[in-house]
Amino acid sequence: MKLLALDLDGTTVNDKGQITNETLLSIELAKKYHAVVCFVTGRSEFEVESLSRHVAKGDYLIVDTGGKVINIKDRSLLFHRCIEPDEARVVIDHFIKRRRLLHVKSGFYWGATLFDESVAAFAKFAEFEPVLIRNAEDTPLEKIDSFCVYGYQSKNMINRLIARKGLNLYTLHSQYRYYDILRHDINKWVGVQYLAEHLGIPREEIIAVGNFTNDIEMVSFSGIGVAVKNASDDVKNVADYVTKRSNNENAIGEIVEKFILN
């Protein structure tokens, strides 16, 4: 049995935000040949809902860049590491005080410290509406999965706060101009490794596929690390294999043919 760990955006999902029927057929073929299919994403649960019908074709879902592992079939939670409440409060209060935008994510909760054009665009992308956060107590402080900021100035501001307060957090470039704020002990490989151990699948039988900076750890440490054709250079540099097809050309099908069927 193999574990096929697939990043979503830019890897399994095409540039139109869709998982094509061709890609879905490739995923079903992998499962037919006894592969366990896990989608691994920087999205939170509410952000995956727009793809839920297609994601249901998989076996497991890892969200929040490795912080939460979910069994798709029964929606049971296998693994979950939240940001410490006291540290979450420090971050939220800091952004509210300075009237800067901070996204707060917790399962199907999405809060924002202010609304602007980027929030409106994000809401359209996620097909989900945020709530306005006026103080930290408005949020589910005990179970916050991650934060997100937009733009270099906000990234630099949170990095200064983390350094000054000694917070157990770090920032990770997740997509163009967006930066996730995560626990130091969380990345995609942490979630994939937990799932593999839970299923009794050795590291050598893990095939991890990605395209962007937040995929580097799982591509590096898996038995076979794959970068899709359209991946950034930092991912290609740590990959064992780079596909000839892009995310718009069913790169997943190429991977299934090469590493599952053969």
Side-chain angles (χ1 to χ4, degrees):
M1 187 161 57
K2 296 180 184 293
L3 176 60
L4 183 58
L6 304 175
D7 168 58
L8 281 178
D9 297 293
T11 301
T12 307
V13 176
N14 66 19
D15 291 346
K16 295 180 180 180
Q18 302 166 341
I19 302 178
T20 65
N21 288 334
E22 187 180 12
T23 296
L24 290 172
L25 287 173
S26 296
I27 289 168
E28 291 177 351
L29 184 60
K31 293 178 65 174
K32 181 179 178 180
Y33 278 77
H34 309 295
V36 176
V37 176
C38 175
F39 296 111
V40 190
T41 180
R43 299 191 190 199
S44 289
E45 285 179 82
F46 74 87
E47 296 170 273
V48 179
E49 275 300 284
S50 60
L51 295 171
S52 60
R53 181 169 60 90
H54 293 158
V55 168
K57 299 291 185 180
D59 299 297
Y60 295 91
L61 174 65
I62 298 177
V63 294
D64 294 290
T65 319
K68 186 181 287 185
V69 181
I70 300 166
N71 184 323
I72 291 175
K73 184 176 181 179
D74 61 12
R75 300 299 300 181
S76 59
L77 186 60
L78 304 181
F79 173 87
H80 192 195
R81 286 183 186 167
C82 302
I83 293 173
E84 292 295 330
D86 289 343
E87 296 197 348
R89 183 180 286 104
V90 168
V91 173
I92 294 168
D93 286 343
H94 186 79
F95 275 78
I96 291 175
K97 183 177 180 181
R98 284 156 181 78
R99 298 181 180 179
R100 296 296 294 269
L101 173 60
L102 176 74
H103 298 272
V104 181
K105 303 178 181 181
S106 174
F108 289 94
Y109 170 91
W110 170 29
T113 53
L114 58 83
F115 289 173
D116 63 10
E117 291 181 359
S118 72
V119 175
F122 195 7
K124 183 178 181 181
F125 164 77
E127 299 179 13
F128 200 90
E129 292 296 324
V131 298
L132 180 64
I133 300 171
R134 293 182 173 82
N135 60 72
E137 302 307 320
D138 290 343
T139 69
L141 280 171
E142 299 294 326
K143 51 183 180 180
I144 290 175
D145 299 316
S146 64
F147 298 117
C148 183
V149 295
Y150 178 78
Y152 304 115
Q153 289 184 339
S154 292
K155 180 201 73 169
N156 292 336
M157 189 175 81
I158 185 62
N159 281 340
R160 290 193 296 269
L161 178 67
I162 289 170
R164 187 169 69 252
K165 296 288 187 178
L167 303 178
N168 183 39
L169 302 171
Y170 75 106
T171 58
L172 178 64
H173 196 190
S174 56
Q175 57 178 305
Y176 177 69
R177 299 208 71 187
Y178 277 98
Y179 298 86
D180 291 336
I181 303 160
L182 307 162
R183 286 174 51 136
H184 252 301
D185 56 355
I186 287 298
N187 58 58
K188 288 188 177 183
W189 171 244
V190 171
V192 171
Q193 183 181 38
Y194 174 87
L195 179 59
E197 291 176 353
H198 175 75
L199 297 173
I201 297 175
R203 186 183 70 85
E204 292 75 19
E205 299 300 324
I206 303 172
I207 304 165
V209 190
N211 78 301
F212 201 62
T213 303
N214 60 351
D215 299 312
I216 286 177
E217 287 85 1
M218 74 170 186
V219 171
S220 297
F221 294 118
S222 294
I224 300 174
V226 181
V228 291
K229 179 182 178 181
N230 54 289
S232 54
D233 288 341
D234 53 0
V235 180
K236 290 179 179 178
N237 289 340
V238 300
D240 300 300
Y241 178 76
V242 178
T243 64
K244 296 177 177 62
R245 305 181 202 168
S246 73
N247 66 313
N248 295 317
E249 303 164 310
N250 187 24
I252 305 306
E254 178 182 339
I255 294 159
V256 170
E257 290 164 12
K258 184 175 182 64
F259 296 110
I260 304 295
L261 305 190
N262 295 326

